[in-house]
Amino acid sequence: MFKNFMWVSNWVNQQLGTKLHMQHQIHGLHVLLQTTMEIQSVQKTPALLGSRASRIQLDILLGKDDSIDADDLFGRDCFEADTHDVHSMLAKKLNI
């Protein structure tokens, strides 16, 4: 099963490499560098309280924006009663 996961990961990386290569051929080196830096900066940014919506920018940069749905932005966990208390969410995340 681990080998299958590695295969999927390699396939995703190959798709990204192909997309970046095409951007480089069409628009030039600056687009390749800009997109790569944006992807790296988004990946380094921590998720906001475990929210799925905080990773929407990465999905857009990777070309997965056609699969973004309203549930990705406004998930079911967003409407639960305990998620409205921001202070308790931060305390739980920071183990206070």
Side-chain angles (χ1 to χ4, degrees), residues 45-55 89 93:
T45 305
L48 299 173
L49 299 175
S51 172
R52 170 74 179 106
S54 63
R55 292 296 178 189
M89 288 173 56
K93 177 126 177 121

Side-chain angles (χ1 to χ4, degrees), residues 37-45 54-55 57-58 61:
M37 288 190 306
E38 286 178 357
I39 290 172
Q40 288 176 352
S41 66
V42 169
Q43 287 176 338
K44 289 180 182 178
T45 305
S54 63
R55 292 296 178 189
Q57 184 180 5
L58 184 61
L61 288 171

Side-chain angles (χ1 to χ4, degrees), residues 1-18 43 62 64:
M1 184 169 165
F2 185 70
K3 291 181 181 179
N4 290 340
F5 176 74
M6 293 298 291
W7 181 81
V8 171
S9 176
N10 289 337
W11 182 76
V12 170
N13 287 335
Q14 186 177 10
Q15 291 288 341
L16 178 61
T18 302
Q43 287 176 338
L62 294 178
K64 300 178 187 175

Side-chain angles (χ1 to χ4, degrees), residues 34-96:
Q34 178 184 3
T35 306
T36 305
M37 288 190 306
E38 286 178 357
I39 290 172
Q40 288 176 352
S41 66
V42 169
Q43 287 176 338
K44 289 180 182 178
T45 305
L48 299 173
L49 299 175
S51 172
R52 170 74 179 106
S54 63
R55 292 296 178 189
I56 298 296
Q57 184 180 5
L58 184 61
D59 287 343
I60 292 171
L61 288 171
L62 294 178
K64 300 178 187 175
D65 52 342
D66 57 343
S67 65
I68 296 174
D69 196 11
D71 289 338
D72 294 331
L73 296 172
F74 310 109
R76 293 181 185 157
D77 60 339
C78 178
F79 298 108
E80 293 178 2
D82 61 338
T83 60
H84 292 296
D85 186 16
V86 176
H87 297 290
S88 66
M89 288 173 56
L90 284 172
K92 183 177 178 182
K93 177 126 177 121
L94 297 174
N95 296 326
I96 297 176

